Amino acid sequence: MKSARTVVILILMGISVCFLAISCASPPQAATPERIVETVVVEREKEVVVTQEVLVTQAPIVVTATPEPAPELATRIRIASLSEGTGQSFEELVIKPFAKEMGVEIEVEQGLYGSQDEWLSSVRAAPGEYCIATYLSDFGLYNGISQGLLQPFRLENMPNYANLDDRWENRELVTGDTNAYVATIDIGMYTFVYAREQFDERPTSYAPLFDPAYAGRIALRDYGLYRVFQTAAYLGLDPNNMSEEDVDLVFETMAEQQKLARAYWSSSSQLDQLLANREVWLADYWFDTITRVGEDGTNKLDQLDIGWWFPEEGGPLWAGGPAIAAGCEGLERETAEMILNYMLRPDVFVRYVSSQGYIPTLETDLYDDAAFFAGAPYRAAYRDAILNTGILLDVGQVLSQQEAWNERYEELKLGN
């Protein structure tokens, strides 16, 4: 038989196990003193059982999550933009709020470039000297990707990239390269403007631009490729898939149009003068330029007394946004990706693109569509025209023809 001492010890062990089981099974709650009877065995020369009361307090179980360490960030970021205004907006509305939220200071080095090709040439000439370009679009992106001058995004650092609408998130710019290289935040297409007093109704087609009735009253953007694309759309051809006969027809039609044109414009100031003096009644223009409200509360539609339309035949569109230069490495590259990820957060995105007059490219359920366009009804029409009639270009196919088309275009302007 087991001794009395052994029995007491077993009883004690049972009580302890039961107490632990009850403690573990109960959910955390405020500490409540509980009076229990504890049997203590005191061994001297012989076994003695002593009973005493002990006050036991069951403390609540509190689990505190271990905070993740803040990521290490670069103390400097280099950006380059097509204009000072864009660079300043990107710094004030994206980089500074990001740095504040992260609790760090980031020095911003601003730079300017006159064209996408200029910036890409600089990246090629001085590897490692550039990081973020605040805007590259189709042709610049294609050239940058195919020449290895852009860094692919590491999407593990940019989960908000998935906020983009599918057509911009999954766009493959260079055939076979499925990496992401641009945070598309700006989409656009040319609009056309007309002198209001010369038209009873708003035009709906490209037709007036090819109508001899307006000879000498037409101004055309001096951009050969877009002249080809728009003329192809007017003729009902697919700009991405034209035969040699189709291309010949396009240039024959452009040659007839050239006889009607008063000017081929290359700057908005040049075109504004032509429109203000009513030397021309019809022209193509940038939609955001004519609808942007100035400090006096007016826009160019008011100032020049012009209307606008988007041809129902459709037209080429462009899409672009910030990209990262090859050679931007290490902590600066990671910080650049995190900044772009922050920019693609819906609240930040809406604030930034609104300041630039851009059309949102996010999934529509991620922002208040009605509120965004409430104060800018023109932009709603712009968005609808882009999505309903815009033609995304096969940049590789176009570039394979670019040199030949540009040569024919220059000869055409000379009347040859």
Side-chain angles (χ1 to χ4, degrees):
M1 292 180 65
K2 298 178 181 177
S3 67
R5 179 182 178 187
T6 302
V7 172
V8 171
I9 291 172
L10 290 173
I11 293 171
L12 282 171
M13 291 175 63
I15 292 171
S16 299
V17 170
C18 291
F19 177 71
L20 288 172
I22 293 169
S23 298
C24 294
S26 301
Q29 55 186 347
T32 303
E34 180 181 358
R35 189 173 303 278
I36 67 172
V37 176
E38 180 181 6
T39 301
V40 181
V41 175
V42 181
E43 183 176 4
R44 294 289 185 270
E45 294 180 356
K46 63 178 181 179
E47 295 174 354
V48 178
V49 177
V50 178
T51 300
Q52 63 180 11
E53 290 187 344
V54 180
L55 194 64
V56 178
T57 300
Q58 180 182 344
I61 301 172
V62 178
V63 178
T64 303
T66 303
E68 293 186 8
E72 187 179 1
L73 299 172
T75 57
R76 178 189 69 158
I77 197 77
R78 295 165 295 176
I79 68 172
S81 308
L82 282 165
S83 70
E84 290 185 6
T86 298
Q88 289 297 324
S89 293
F90 191 78
E91 180 177 351
E92 294 295 326
L93 298 177
V94 180
I95 297 178
K96 285 187 176 179
F98 166 79
K100 182 178 180 181
E101 192 167 299
M102 300 300 291
V104 299
E105 290 187 7
I106 299 177
E107 177 188 357
V108 180
E109 282 190 14
Q110 294 263 14
L112 293 173
Y113 53 93
S115 70
Q116 300 181 95
D117 287 341
E118 177 187 317
W119 186 77
L120 292 171
S121 295
S122 298
V123 172
R124 183 186 300 106
E129 293 299 314
Y130 298 87
C131 192
I132 296 176
T134 59
Y135 186 80
L136 292 182
S137 63
D138 310 87
F139 293 98
L141 290 166
Y142 182 92
N143 288 330
I145 296 166
S146 59
Q147 296 171 29
L149 299 174
L150 297 178
Q151 291 280 33
F153 293 160
R154 297 171 300 187
L155 296 182
E156 63 270 22
N157 293 330
M158 297 178 60
N160 288 338
Y161 186 81
N163 291 339
L164 290 169
D165 182 271
D166 284 348
R167 77 187 75 195
W168 316 120
E169 179 188 358
N170 299 317
R171 191 175 177 202
E172 188 174 299
L173 284 154
V174 175
T175 303
D177 191 333
T178 58
N179 290 307
Y181 290 90
V182 60
T184 299
I185 59 171
D186 178 34
I187 52 177
M189 62 189 294
Y190 281 104
T191 188
F192 289 82
V193 297
Y194 62 95
R196 285 175 175 153
E197 76 280 0
Q198 299 296 332
F199 292 83
D200 294 330
E201 296 182 354
R202 172 187 288 185
T204 60
S205 166
Y206 284 107
L209 299 159
F210 296 87
D211 189 339
Y214 301 108
R217 299 297 184 178
I218 298 170
L220 301 170
R221 173 86 195 280
D222 192 6
Y223 190 175
L225 288 179
Y226 274 77
R227 298 262 64 83
V228 170
F229 304 149
Q230 290 171 341
T231 305
Y234 166 64
L235 295 170
L237 302 172
D238 179 0
N240 292 318
N241 186 26
M242 293 193 292
S243 66
E244 290 184 10
E245 291 77 11
D246 291 337
V247 173
D248 288 341
L249 176 59
V250 166
F251 275 93
E252 289 168 9
T253 306
M254 289 169 58
E256 292 302 311
Q257 185 186 41
Q258 187 267 345
K259 299 174 185 177
L260 309 178
R262 185 180 187 89
Y264 284 84
W265 64 273
S266 57
S267 69
S268 59
S269 59
Q270 176 191 4
L271 179 57
D272 289 349
Q273 192 68 33
L274 291 168
L275 289 166
N277 295 337
R278 286 304 191 254
E279 294 178 64
V280 299
W281 300 343
L282 294 162
D284 46 356
Y285 217 152
W286 297 295
F287 191 72
D288 58 340
T289 300
I290 63 170
T291 57
R292 186 182 300 122
V293 177
E295 294 181 0
D296 64 353
T298 66
N299 58 25
K300 290 190 177 183
L301 296 173
D302 304 316
Q303 297 160 6
L304 300 172
D305 192 22
I306 54 177
W308 56 269
W309 87 97
F310 289 102
E312 60 193 3
E313 297 94 339
L317 64 85
W318 60 84
I324 299 176
C328 178
E329 296 288 359
L331 206 53
E332 188 177 18
R333 179 185 180 187
E334 185 170 347
T335 302
E337 290 170 335
M338 293 178 67
I339 287 171
L340 298 186
N341 182 64
Y342 177 79
M343 181 196 71
L344 291 170
R345 199 174 80 184
D347 58 323
V348 179
F349 180 93
V350 168
R351 184 168 62 244
Y352 178 57
V353 300
S354 180
S355 77
Q356 299 300 296
Y358 296 158
I359 301 299
T361 52
L362 296 183
E363 293 281 2
T364 54
D365 61 351
L366 295 178
Y367 69 100
D368 189 334
D369 181 272
F372 184 90
F373 291 109
Y378 290 125
R379 276 191 275 177
Y382 191 26
R383 184 269 317 272
D384 292 344
I386 291 169
L387 298 183
N388 295 333
T389 66
I391 301 170
L392 271 173
L393 298 175
D394 181 340
V395 180
Q397 173 66 21
V398 170
L399 288 178
S400 69
Q401 304 293 328
Q402 181 179 23
E403 185 175 350
W405 288 356
N406 280 339
E407 286 181 4
R408 291 184 70 170
Y409 172 70
E410 292 302 325
E411 291 179 1
L412 178 151
K413 287 195 301 178
L414 295 172
N416 297 333

